[in-house]
Amino acid sequence: MTTDLQTYLLEGCGRCPLGGTPGCKVQPWRTVLEGLREVIAECGLTEQMKWGVPCYTYQQSNVLVMGALKHAATLSFFKGALLGDPQGLLVKPGPNTQAARYLKFTSLAEVEQHAADIKAYVFEAIEVEKAGLKVEFKRNPEPIPEELEQKFAEDPLLKSAFESLTPGRQRGYILFFSAPKKAKTRFARIEKSVEKILNGKGLHDGYRR
């Protein structure tokens, strides 16, 4: 997993085998990501690498991460659901996502055009942290195993990806993870499923290259 920003911009997050290849999602958006970084640098957040991507924190609380999708560069807010969106720019990652929201950009010119808007979203996200606000999550019908909750606490991006899955896919994973009697086996099942979840796949979905 990538641990420094320059490597991220050159080779990607390191979470999949495509890092450093033309298939890496980061490669087409390097200039746009650098532009976004310049804007965020003016907002007073601390920059560090988490989960292989640039993460920005306020007093050690995660505020947003910078990343790349196939069709755009993104800024993803951990508590985006609590932000006002007068410009209508925030995107909900999936129908089941409860907290995260992201901004997407496809050119450096677009970043420059919306620089003031980006800062406004970031400053509001900082105020959310200062106020100690939290997103109230709706419970899944199936109880989430303790080991999965622990993994979510360690990896908020995994949590966001899981919440973006359809209810049926979420339930499939929860039942699969909960089945073993030993915690060690439950952890092992979760670890083996991380890549699929991050790629929006269900337990029995295959990969397409």
Side-chain angles (χ1 to χ4, degrees):
M1 194 177 298
T2 301
T3 57
D4 67 274
L5 188 114
Q6 291 306 315
T7 301
Y8 170 76
L9 292 173
L10 291 172
E11 300 182 10
C13 65
R15 299 178 70 137
C16 80
L18 296 176
T21 74
C24 175
K25 294 177 182 177
V26 173
Q27 301 304 310
W29 307 113
R30 189 180 303 160
T31 302
V32 181
L33 291 167
E34 289 173 342
L36 288 171
R37 186 188 181 211
E38 290 182 8
V39 175
I40 299 171
E42 300 177 16
C43 297
L45 294 174
T46 300
E47 179 186 81
Q48 57 191 123
M49 295 297 294
K50 292 188 178 183
W51 318 289
V53 299
C55 179
Y56 298 87
T57 64
Y58 173 77
Q59 295 185 352
Q60 300 185 353
S61 293
N62 298 324
V63 176
L64 69 143
V65 292
M66 187 168 66
L69 300 174
K70 185 176 181 179
H71 302 295
T74 62
L75 292 180
S76 298
F77 295 88
F78 287 93
K79 297 180 181 178
L82 300 179
L83 303 180
D85 189 19
Q87 304 296 327
L89 299 176
L90 288 176
V91 179
K92 189 175 182 179
N96 300 298
T97 302
Q98 298 188 51
R101 299 290 187 271
Y102 68 85
L103 300 170
K104 62 179 181 178
F105 303 91
T106 57
S107 70
L108 181 58
E110 189 177 11
V111 172
E112 294 170 347
Q113 176 186 348
H114 289 288
D117 296 322
I118 294 169
K119 291 177 186 177
Y121 285 109
V122 174
F123 288 138
E124 184 177 0
I126 293 172
E127 292 303 316
V128 165
E129 291 304 323
K130 287 181 178 179
L133 302 181
K134 297 183 182 297
V135 177
E136 296 202 5
F137 293 96
K138 297 178 181 178
R139 288 289 180 183
N140 286 288
E142 300 288 344
I144 296 178
E146 181 180 342
E147 294 78 11
L148 185 57
E149 291 280 17
Q150 182 176 331
K151 190 67 178 176
F152 285 162
E154 297 170 356
D155 190 343
L157 287 182
L158 178 65
K159 179 180 176 70
S160 179
F162 185 84
E163 291 173 352
S164 298
L165 297 174
T166 62
R169 284 173 172 164
Q170 290 184 34
R171 185 171 185 271
Y173 278 119
I174 289 172
L175 293 175
F176 177 63
F177 297 153
S178 301
K181 294 182 179 180
K182 295 183 178 180
K184 181 179 180 181
T185 308
R186 293 194 291 272
F187 273 121
R189 288 191 173 190
I190 291 169
E191 288 295 337
K192 289 180 180 179
S193 301
V194 166
E195 185 177 352
K196 272 196 167 185
I197 294 172
L198 291 173
N199 282 280
K201 301 289 186 180
L203 181 61
H204 303 293
D205 294 340
Y207 286 102
R208 292 181 181 178
R209 297 293 187 191

